[in-house]
């Protein structure tokens, strides 16, 4: 049986792990009677934790925002993840939080036990920082979008496409994803009645939150990260490259990144790679690195480019072998 203080700490950790708990589920998770649970909830409220209770069929307990930020309960893995994320934020692609991230990191590392600090130091030395080079996104904007995704609130915002053409959007946000050194919002566009992916740095002005919406099944089988990578890999126009790879689909999925293109099954010994044709040279490099037989289905421009590349490689190989030997002629006596 846990002591009262240990039980309160565990209860606090559980309440902070999800938005809502039913009373029966929370009591079962704690292994206590419903009366004991109610007393512990009252103790946490006396300590200043904003816990709301509701009755009825869908009743239960929920940890809500209060007037001040109460202490948070983090386990070892959560603390390590938070520390690494804060260090990344200092030099990452989000502006406006560098100094705040530094002060939060100092507070977190100060209370870390030695065993966690050693693990954090080991992880820090293993990670090589790089300059992202992509557009910087405002932290406040990112927070508004992420909050609307969490609370299932419609968003209105102005958006400029890649050509700078402005438009006004009303969307049901699903999630925020970072891919290819950029931040994207995946949302259901109510006017177009389809899923859309918006580059967050192209959102102009301040988004306005609207009414609640009923959540839809997520695109891409629920994996928004893979969905965005597939969207980025496919061209925004009708022309795309299709290449038959003479290797099993399962083997190619382990070697071909999702950012390059989309793999589709063909038969037991081959698959089809569909990818954008807007980056000449990149696809050829990957096809050479895969070291499998392949056939280019389309477009014809890619076939021509491969022929030119093949001829250039053959000339380079012949040059590396040296000039051809001259025939030896013998003089007549």
């Amino acid at each position: 049986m846990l002591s009262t203080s240990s039980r309160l700490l565990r209860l606090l950790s559980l309440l902070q792990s999800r938005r809502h708990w039913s009373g029966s589920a929370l009591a079962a998770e704690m292994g206590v009677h419903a009366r004991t649970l109610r007393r512990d909830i009252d103790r946490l409220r006396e300590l200043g934790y904003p816990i709301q209770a509701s009755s009825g069929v869908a009743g239960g307990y929920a940890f809500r925002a209060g007037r001040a930020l109460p202490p948070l309960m983090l386990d070892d893995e959560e603390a390590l993840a938070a520390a690494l994320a804060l260090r990344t934020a200092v030099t990452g692609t989000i502006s406006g939080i560098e100094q705040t991230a530094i002060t939060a990191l100092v507070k977190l590392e100060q209370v870390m036990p030695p065993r966690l600090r050693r693990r954090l130091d080991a992880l820090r030395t293993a990670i090589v920082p790089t300059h992202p080079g992509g557009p910087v996104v405002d932290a406040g904007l990112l927070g508004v979008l992420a909050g609307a995704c969490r609370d299932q609130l419609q968003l209105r915002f102005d958006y400029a496409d890649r050509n700078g053409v402005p438009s006004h959007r009303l969307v049901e946000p699903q999630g925020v994803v970072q891919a290819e050194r950029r931040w994207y919002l995946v949302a259901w566009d109510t006017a177009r009645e389809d899923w859309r992916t918006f580059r967050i740095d192209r959102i102009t002005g301040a988004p306005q939150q609207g009414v609640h919406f009923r959540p839809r099944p997520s695109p891409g089988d629920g994996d928004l990260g893979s969905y965005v990578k597939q969207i980025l890999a496919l061209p925004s126009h009708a022309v795309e490259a299709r290449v038959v790879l003479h290797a099993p689909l399962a083997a190619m999925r382990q070697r071909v990144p999702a950012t390059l293109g989309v793999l589709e099954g063909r038969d037991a010994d081959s698959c089809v790679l569909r990818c954008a044709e807007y980056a000449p040279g990149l696809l050829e490099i990957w096809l050479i690195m895969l070291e499998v037989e392949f056939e280019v289905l389309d477009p014809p421009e890619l076939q021509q480019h491969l022929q030119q590349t093949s001829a250039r490689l053959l000339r380079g190989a012949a040059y590396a072998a040296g000039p051809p030997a001259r025939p030896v002629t013998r003089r007549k006596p």
Side-chain angles (χ1 to χ4, degrees), residues 37-328:
L37 176 63
R38 287 194 293 269
R39 287 196 298 268
D40 288 345
I41 292 290
D42 291 337
R43 291 189 180 98
L44 289 177
R45 286 171 176 164
E46 292 173 358
L47 293 173
Y49 290 97
I51 303 171
Q52 294 182 355
S54 56
S55 59
V57 178
Y61 300 99
F63 197 93
R64 297 295 186 229
R67 297 181 178 178
L69 180 65
L72 301 177
M73 299 292 297
L74 299 177
D75 59 26
D76 289 359
E77 301 305 323
E78 290 171 340
L80 285 174
L84 288 175
L86 288 170
R87 293 189 65 86
T88 304
V90 175
T91 57
T93 56
I94 307 174
S95 66
I97 62 171
E98 295 88 350
Q99 188 60 39
T100 307
I102 293 174
T103 57
L105 180 62
V106 170
K107 292 180 180 179
L108 183 58
E109 292 188 354
Q110 185 176 2
V111 298
M112 271 189 174
R115 55 184 175 80
L116 280 185
R117 202 169 300 168
R118 287 192 295 269
R119 289 182 60 186
L120 179 61
D121 292 338
L123 288 172
R124 267 200 309 241
T125 56
I127 297 176
V128 179
T130 60
H131 296 287
V136 177
V137 175
D138 180 72
L141 173 60
L142 200 61
V144 170
L145 299 179
C149 296
R150 178 198 60 199
D151 298 333
Q152 298 168 0
L153 297 174
Q154 287 186 346
L155 282 175
R156 293 181 180 273
F157 56 82
D158 295 321
Y159 187 75
D161 63 13
R162 66 177 61 190
N163 298 318
V165 178
S167 61
H168 186 73
R169 304 299 182 100
L170 174 62
V171 302
E172 298 174 356
Q174 187 75 13
V176 174
V177 178
Q178 187 183 37
E180 294 293 311
R181 297 177 296 180
R182 290 178 173 86
W183 287 93
Y184 296 89
L185 172 69
V186 180
W188 177 266
D189 193 311
T190 58
R192 293 154 180 82
E193 296 186 347
D194 197 5
W195 291 104
R196 289 292 186 269
T197 302
F198 302 95
R199 264 183 53 176
I200 294 180
D201 60 289
R202 290 177 178 165
I203 295 178
T204 59
Q208 301 296 319
Q209 294 183 347
V211 299
H212 286 271
F213 62 87
R214 179 177 297 178
R216 304 171 184 270
S218 298
D221 297 328
D223 188 348
L224 293 184
S226 298
Y227 173 76
V228 171
K229 290 179 181 178
Q230 290 183 2
I231 293 297
L232 298 179
L234 292 176
S236 58
H237 46 80
V239 179
E240 65 179 16
R242 294 191 305 131
V243 181
V244 176
L245 303 177
H246 291 280
L249 176 63
M252 290 296 95
R253 278 180 172 168
Q254 295 179 357
R255 302 179 60 187
V256 177
T259 54
L260 180 64
V262 179
L263 287 168
E264 299 175 347
R266 186 169 180 261
D267 53 43
D269 300 319
S270 65
C271 56
V272 177
L273 172 65
R274 295 172 49 219
C275 62
E277 189 260 332
Y278 57 78
L282 177 62
L283 180 56
E284 292 89 324
I285 293 174
W286 272 104
L287 292 174
I288 294 173
M289 292 174 58
L290 289 175
E291 296 183 343
V292 298
E293 297 294 326
F294 64 89
E295 303 173 36
V296 176
L297 300 180
D298 47 51
E301 295 81 4
L302 177 59
Q303 297 173 344
Q304 181 179 3
H305 198 273
L306 275 170
Q307 292 173 354
Q308 295 173 352
T309 301
S310 175
R312 188 164 58 251
L313 291 174
L314 289 174
R315 289 194 298 270
Y319 177 81
R326 297 181 179 179
V328 178

